Amino acid sequence: MTSKRTAPDRETCGVNAALAVIDGKWKSSLLWLLESGPHRPGELRRRLPGLTEKVLTQALREMEEDGLVHREVYDVLPPKTEYSLTASGRDLAEALTPLSNWGHRRLDRLAEAR
């Protein structure tokens, strides 16, 4: 699936193409939380203080359009919706693990330098 926010271009740097689908303040955190399994929107908001319902909805919709998350709506009262990673979302999360490890090492070095 191709993001509607970026035109497909085989000459684009692969890193830029990957970062285009997790741009913004919250998408990488949402990806990280969803790695542990399906979550309801309220759970995601509670785990990410400062994330508004509007921004959460927008980020999840964009991630769904980009094929990273699956939205499951259950036919129950009250309505229940869960979000989970797709195979593509799991692949991206796995690919970001080395970057996350690098970031933690950098934070450790910065803390030691103080």
Side-chain angles (χ1 to χ4, degrees), residues 30-40 43-44 82-85:
L30 290 167
L31 194 66
W32 175 72
L33 286 174
L34 290 170
E35 275 187 284
S36 65
H39 283 72
R40 296 180 70 181
E43 294 171 325
L44 294 169
E82 285 186 337
Y83 288 88
S84 60
L85 291 182

Side-chain angles (χ1 to χ4, degrees), residues 80-94:
K80 177 181 174 183
T81 302
E82 285 186 337
Y83 288 88
S84 60
L85 291 182
T86 62
S88 182
R90 287 188 301 276
D91 285 347
L92 178 58
E94 184 178 319

Side-chain angles (χ1 to χ4, degrees), residues 6 10-11 19 33 73 83 96-97 100:
T6 58
R10 299 293 297 159
E11 301 300 316
L19 292 177
L33 286 174
V73 179
Y83 288 88
L96 291 173
T97 297
S100 174

Side-chain angles (χ1 to χ4, degrees), residues 23-113:
D23 64 338
K25 182 176 180 179
W26 300 106
K27 289 182 184 177
S28 60
S29 296
L30 290 167
L31 194 66
W32 175 72
L33 286 174
L34 290 170
E35 275 187 284
S36 65
H39 283 72
R40 296 180 70 181
E43 294 171 325
L44 294 169
R45 276 197 22 243
R46 282 190 295 278
R47 300 275 309 269
L48 296 170
L51 175 60
T52 66
E53 186 170 349
K54 177 184 175 190
V55 172
L56 173 63
T57 300
Q58 180 180 349
L60 288 170
R61 282 184 183 157
E62 290 174 4
M63 292 172 76
E64 186 177 12
E65 287 175 13
D66 288 329
L68 301 178
V69 299
H70 171 74
R71 179 175 172 252
E72 183 75 31
V73 179
Y74 296 91
D75 189 19
V76 294
L77 288 176
K80 177 181 174 183
T81 302
E82 285 186 337
Y83 288 88
S84 60
L85 291 182
T86 62
S88 182
R90 287 188 301 276
D91 285 347
L92 178 58
E94 184 178 319
L96 291 173
T97 297
L99 182 61
S100 174
N101 293 339
W102 180 89
H104 285 290
R105 288 190 305 272
R106 180 178 183 276
L107 292 173
D108 290 344
R109 284 191 305 271
L110 291 173
E112 290 171 5

Side-chain angles (χ1 to χ4, degrees), residues 2-9 12 16-17 19-21 23 66:
T2 303
S3 171
K4 293 178 182 176
R5 291 171 299 287
T6 58
D9 180 359
T12 298
N16 288 340
L19 292 177
V21 296
D23 64 338
D66 288 329

